[in-house]
């Protein structure tokens, strides 16, 4: 079975969304599911311990190459999500994606177009896209 396309997923969400069809409901559910995704990652650190954060100031030295900077940033999170935490985070991200798709539906925005535009910005701006 092939992976569903963004459009087929967006169509599926449109068919399934019954209870929270108002824009305000969808926006509040989107915030709630995003917070739940963040919480599931937090629990992986604080309750399970499968990943650890070493949250200190990230030092970048003048003349440091991009590769050296990337290596230094990679050291911020250590370990890997265990199977239970991976499932929890994945489920919460899926719910967030559901409500993002619902918001797109209510505002007549194609999720695939959003992805294409963001990808184009990333290609054009490269490293400076989100800085």
């Amino acid at each position: 079975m092939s992976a569903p396309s963004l459009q087929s997923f967006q169509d599926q969400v449109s068919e399934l969304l019954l209870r929270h069809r108002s824009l305000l409901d969808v926006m509040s559910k989107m915030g709630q599911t995003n917070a739940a995704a963040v919480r599931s990652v937090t629990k992986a650190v604080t309750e399970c311990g499968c990943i650890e954060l070493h949250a200190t100031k990230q030092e970048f030295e003048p003349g440091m190459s991009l590769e050296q900077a990337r290596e230094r940033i990679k050291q911020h999170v250590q370990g890997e999500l265990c199977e239970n935490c991976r499932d929890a985070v994945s489920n919460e991200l899926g719910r967030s994606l559901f409500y993002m798709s619902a918001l797109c539906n209510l505002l007549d925005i194609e999720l695939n177009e959003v992805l294409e535009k963001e990808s184009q910005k990333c290609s054009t701006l490269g490293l400076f896209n989100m800085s």
Side-chain angles (χ1 to χ4, degrees):
M1 184 174 159
S2 65
S5 69
L6 285 175
Q7 185 58 52
S8 66
F9 179 71
Q10 192 169 350
D11 293 342
Q12 184 180 23
V13 168
S14 181
E15 291 173 14
L16 295 174
L17 192 68
L18 298 172
R19 189 166 171 220
H20 302 286
R21 269 233 187 265
S22 87
L23 183 61
L24 292 176
D25 282 341
V26 168
M27 288 190 316
S28 67
K29 288 299 285 183
M30 212 173 134
Q32 184 179 23
T33 58
N34 287 337
V38 170
R39 179 72 179 130
S40 65
V41 173
T42 301
K43 285 177 144 185
V45 174
T46 61
E47 289 183 16
C48 178
C50 58
I51 59 173
E52 294 179 3
L53 297 180
H54 297 276
T56 59
K57 181 179 178 183
Q58 296 181 0
E59 299 287 340
F60 297 101
E61 300 164 9
M64 181 183 284
S65 72
L66 289 176
E67 192 57 40
Q68 290 171 322
R70 283 188 184 106
E71 281 302 313
R72 204 168 266 193
I73 292 171
K74 283 182 185 178
Q75 296 172 3
H76 189 75
V77 178
Q78 293 183 345
E80 292 183 16
L81 291 173
C82 67
E83 186 177 335
N84 290 336
C85 291
R86 181 173 297 283
D87 286 345
V89 171
S90 180
N91 288 337
E92 296 301 344
L93 289 173
R95 288 173 36 102
S96 292
L97 185 59
F98 179 92
Y99 285 105
M100 181 185 296
S101 183
L103 183 62
C104 286
N105 285 338
L106 291 173
L107 298 174
D108 197 27
I109 295 172
E110 297 295 325
L111 194 52
N112 197 49
E113 289 178 17
V114 172
L115 177 67
E116 288 173 14
K117 285 180 183 177
E118 191 61 26
S119 178
Q120 182 62 38
K121 273 198 312 189
C122 288
S123 294
T124 302
L125 298 174
L127 182 64
F128 302 103
N129 183 47
M130 299 300 281
S131 56

